Amino acid sequence: MDELELAAVQRAVVQRLDDFRRAGLTHWKRIVPTVPEPGLPAPARAGASTTSVAASMKPATPVRSEPVPREQSRPPVQPEPQVTSMAPKRSAPAAPPSAPVVIQPFQPLDLPPQERVTQLKILADKVKACVRCQELASTRTQTVFGVGDPNAKIVFVGEAPGADEDQQGEPFVGRAGQLLNDIIKACRLKREEIYICNVLRCRPPGNRLPSIEEAGNCREYLNGQLAIVNPEYIVCWGSTAAKNLLASELPIGKMRGKFYEYGRSKVICTYHPSYLLRNPAAKKDVWEDMKFLFKDMGIDLSAK
Ligand code: URA
């Protein structure tokens, strides 16, 4: 192969990888060796960077195609990050040697509280000007970035703005939002104590599902928000959030009831409030999921 051909192949490979990244792919399936590799690198833990939000938005390092519940992930070489919550101290699980490696797909930041406000504002301004998805940019009333406490312990991730959110510029303000507020209240929290955002920051016309390409285009912003807020917990509301964040193909019902990891955050997946509006019987499942989450924080939601 001469140099020109080689350069063309290289360009094609880079282009292809970029297509995958923009489509939201964060992991490649790793062929797990039957013999443990002693020199295998430990998963990259969150670094101490406090300056660059851009650094947190680098594309994910591809490793796996299925989300790995926290319990199964390879124990990190570095100590677990300090948890300043009521949560019981987490001990590193002893993973079997054949457990798949999890490489953190993005870099959470340790920003001081005021800096989080500043960085979120900078990112929100960038989102306001975004025209990556031509159709969404030309049909939106405004972008819907996120709302809540930049220092929240819990981040909620939904799907995409609907008509009400598009009008008001805030996530979860329509009927699904009212139900979400009820759930938050039942968990003895206030909406302002949580940070709330979506996979997409623009309303898909007719409330259709976000396309893979749109989710990929918006991933940089979602990752940016998660890196800045750097929550202890993330709740994926519905399968769009769960599938996109965790690069999973599993139905939401199969993803419930376990913790996954994303950066430093523990992630749970549950049904979307819009689904609950159509299927009120599933509210009890969501309540179970909330109890599961809060139990991990040392809070028993069943107690009076
Ligand atoms: N549904 C979502 O997923 N997000 C919103 O912001 C509103 C409804």
Side-chain angles (χ1 to χ4, degrees):
M1 197 184 296
D2 67 24
E3 266 179 38
L4 272 180
E5 283 171 328
L6 188 62
V9 169
Q10 278 174 339
R11 270 200 308 278
V13 169
V14 168
Q15 174 71 53
R16 196 63 200 267
L17 289 173
D18 202 46
D19 286 347
F20 283 135
R21 182 183 65 75
R22 291 177 73 83
L25 185 78
T26 58
H27 305 91
W28 295 108
K29 194 178 180 96
R30 182 174 185 278
I31 307 298
V32 179
T34 46
V35 180
E37 294 169 77
L40 209 61
R45 298 299 301 178
S49 166
T50 55
T51 50
S52 165
V53 170
S56 74
M57 298 188 208
K58 286 195 182 131
T61 309
V63 172
R64 60 190 163 80
S65 59
E66 289 266 303
V68 179
R70 271 184 90 81
E71 298 80 358
Q72 293 172 18
S73 61
R74 179 177 283 265
V77 167
Q78 292 177 22
E80 286 276 282
Q82 288 300 309
V83 178
T84 54
S85 74
M86 298 167 274
K89 204 165 164 19
R90 287 179 252 153
S91 54
S98 59
V101 173
V102 176
I103 295 201
Q104 302 303 326
F106 82 121
Q107 188 88 346
L109 299 170
D110 278 319
L111 299 177
Q114 194 48 44
E115 188 58 19
R116 296 177 191 213
V117 177
T118 307
Q119 292 292 344
L120 285 173
K121 170 86 178 70
I122 291 169
L123 191 55
D125 286 344
K126 189 173 172 189
V127 166
K128 267 185 202 155
C130 182
V131 288
R132 286 179 189 173
C133 308
Q134 275 186 6
E135 187 192 16
L136 305 193
S138 62
T139 53
R140 72 188 177 212
T141 305
Q142 58 192 311
T143 54
V144 179
F145 182 66
V147 71
D149 182 359
N151 299 292
K153 188 161 157 173
I154 308 174
V155 169
F156 283 179
V157 180
E159 182 175 302
D164 296 306
E165 290 76 19
D166 175 69
Q167 284 301 317
Q168 297 182 41
E170 183 173 326
F172 284 105
V173 291
R175 277 186 71 220
Q178 296 310 314
L179 181 50
L180 190 68
N181 290 347
D182 292 343
I183 297 170
I184 294 171
K185 234 184 260 166
C187 296
R188 301 170 207 156
L189 285 178
K190 296 195 182 88
R191 184 173 158 104
E192 314 79 76
E193 292 175 296
I194 292 167
Y195 188 83
I196 307 175
C197 59
N198 281 309
V199 168
L200 292 194
R201 272 129 211 81
C202 297
R203 180 191 182 205
N207 296 347
R208 64 161 169 75
L209 282 177
S211 71
I212 292 176
E213 195 192 0
E214 288 161 353
N217 286 343
C218 224
R219 184 57 174 260
E220 177 187 334
Y221 306 134
L222 175 59
N223 272 354
Q225 286 167 290
L226 293 174
I228 294 165
V229 179
N230 189 9
E232 283 177 41
Y233 296 93
I234 298 171
V235 180
C236 290
W237 292 93
S239 61
T240 297
K243 284 182 180 184
N244 275 283
L245 195 78
L246 300 171
S248 165
E249 284 308 318
L250 292 175
I252 188 75
K254 288 240 156 41
M255 297 194 75
R256 296 180 48 239
K258 322 181 174 75
F259 281 111
Y260 300 87
E261 63 183 3
Y262 194 72
R264 290 179 203 162
S265 308
K266 288 173 143 185
V267 183
I268 66 156
C269 305
T270 191
Y271 296 117
H272 194 282
S274 300
Y275 174 79
L276 300 182
L277 290 172
R278 297 189 303 273
N279 300 280
K283 285 182 186 174
K284 63 176 181 344
D285 297 326
V286 170
W287 185 234
E288 288 307 312
D289 295 337
M290 294 301 111
K291 285 197 285 186
F292 175 70
L293 167 66
F294 278 75
K295 186 170 173 216
D296 199 69
M297 291 189 262
I299 297 167
D300 179 2
L301 287 179
S302 315
K304 293 274 169 228

